[in-house]
Amino acid sequence: MERTSTILLVEDNEDNQEIYRIILAHHGYQVLQAYDGGLGVEMARAHAPDLILMDLTMPLIDGLAATRLLKEDPATASIPVIALTAHASREDQERARKSGCCDYLTKPIDRDTLVSAIRRNLIQQRSKRSHA
Ligand code: MN
């Protein structure tokens, strides 16, 4: 039996928090939530989730800055971070990659796209660990 994966959802929009939380819970994931980048970083350090969904546009510490902080810290550097954003340009995607995001989803994000991106990145992460 596969262990339940824990997903940390970092998103400042309450409607999106609710929508993604319901989708994730429905697919059997344990969900942790943070409403801003600073709290997201703290929660990642405290709970070591298996994967992080990171909204990019948030006040104070935005998703790119939060991701950079996570990647600089050896305790959280290996956690895959999927960027969630309304900005679909090539430059934004490139910026997200440079900040350390492993994947990039453009809002509005449908359920299948979200769930398959999570699955794909969890599988990649497991195979990295087993080959390390
Ligand atoms: Mn936002």
Side-chain angles (χ1 to χ4, degrees):
M1 185 66 184
E2 201 175 306
R3 175 180 78 82
T4 305
S5 296
T6 302
I7 312 288
L8 171 59
L9 177 54
V10 187
E11 162 70 75
D12 65 326
N13 180 283
E14 285 181 31
D15 291 337
N16 287 337
Q17 274 277 2
E18 188 65 4
I19 293 163
Y20 301 145
R21 185 187 61 75
I22 290 167
I23 293 169
L24 296 174
H26 177 78
H27 284 82
Y29 295 111
Q30 193 87 38
V31 187
L32 298 170
Q33 293 177 271
Y35 291 87
D36 66 65
L39 190 57
V41 171
E42 271 178 44
M43 288 186 69
R45 286 174 179 156
H47 301 283
D50 296 291
L51 182 142
I52 298 171
L53 295 175
M54 181 72 80
D55 177 34
L56 294 188
T57 310
M58 293 185 290
L60 303 176
I61 298 181
D62 69 16
L64 294 180
T67 301
R68 282 193 293 268
L69 289 171
L70 292 168
K71 295 297 154 181
E72 282 166 10
D73 182 346
T76 53
S78 68
I79 304 170
V81 178
I82 300 178
L84 311 180
T85 178
H87 307 285
S89 79
R90 196 95 197 97
E91 292 73 36
D92 288 310
Q93 201 161 341
E94 197 47 46
R95 258 203 298 275
R97 296 252 180 223
K98 278 192 180 135
S99 297
C101 298
C102 59
D103 214 334
Y104 186 95
L105 299 177
T106 305
K107 294 176 180 180
I109 301 159
D110 67 70
R111 190 191 56 191
D112 292 347
T113 304
L114 182 67
V115 171
S116 64
I118 290 169
R119 288 201 181 124
R120 183 171 66 239
N121 283 284
L122 285 174
I123 289 167
Q124 268 169 23
Q125 180 66 7
R126 271 185 220 121
S127 75
K128 264 188 216 160
R129 287 223 171 106
S130 64
H131 291 109

